Amino acid sequence: MSQTIQTLSHIHRFVPGSANDEAPLLLLHGTGGDENDLLGLGAALAPGVALLSPRGQVLEKGMPRFFRRLAEGVFDEADVVARAGALARFVDEARDRYGLAAPVAVGFSNGANIAAALLMGEPAVLAGAVLIRPMVPLAAPPRFDLEGKPVLILSGAGDPIVPAENARRLAAILEEGGAELRHEVLPVGHGLTQMDLTLARRWLEASGL
Ligand code: MLT
């Protein structure tokens, strides 16, 4: 099993792949998670692909996150932009170090929100993205061009954190920015479920990433 690695700009874990023709997964955890959290999900989603899993660099009462927030669902947008830039540089470093193609982000909650910010601010960094329970990370996003990159949004109809309108707005912004977008609203809450895994796995297979 891989070890937590302290070099490069973000603490991370890297699991080498055996399926070298498939894009690696960039795993982005939720608030209070770390670089270990989504390795099992990544391996289940795309067996044999390389997994790159950084730890968010912000601490909120000891809980790692990928950017600062002022309250639940209220983001420090300057920090969102800066942290998305830093994460993009980490992906570049890791691609060099490990010899990787552009990754597909798989983000949950806060990790999905930084992945959405990456798509908007650093659209060249990702080959695609699976965003699980994301919200709009920037009220006034920059102009960006995703050039048909595949993006899957998985929302929860009973999510107490993400209003349905907010998830729909994110889908519209990404589609407007050129993403090949699919948005599924599942009969679930904010937490990760088996349905997310099944849908994301099928979508990854079908999208040819
Ligand atoms: C966020 O802060 O990114 C969202 O509120 C999701 C969360 O992490 O709870």
Side-chain angles (χ1 to χ4, degrees), residues 46-126:
V49 313
L51 304 176
L52 180 63
S53 187
R55 185 191 303 177
Q57 294 187 312
V58 167
L59 282 180
E60 180 186 281
K61 300 196 178 106
M63 296 184 297
R65 289 175 49 83
F66 286 96
F67 56 82
R68 273 195 283 277
R69 64 179 163 183
L70 309 174
E72 191 167 280
V74 183
F75 304 148
D76 174 341
E77 296 200 13
D79 194 59
V80 173
V81 171
R83 303 279 174 186
L87 186 60
R89 302 294 82 75
F90 164 74
V91 171
D92 288 346
E93 292 166 24
R95 286 186 60 187
D96 268 5
R97 172 70 60 93
Y98 302 121
L100 300 173
V104 177
V106 176
F108 168 64
S109 188
N110 179 245
N113 297 341
I114 195 75
L118 265 183
L119 288 169
M120 293 174 181
E122 307 277 348
V125 166
L126 300 175

Side-chain angles (χ1 to χ4, degrees), residues 156-175:
D159 189 333
I161 295 176
V162 183
E165 174 281 323
N166 188 301
R168 276 199 301 273
R169 186 150 43 93
L170 176 64
I173 293 169
L174 294 176
E175 197 159 31

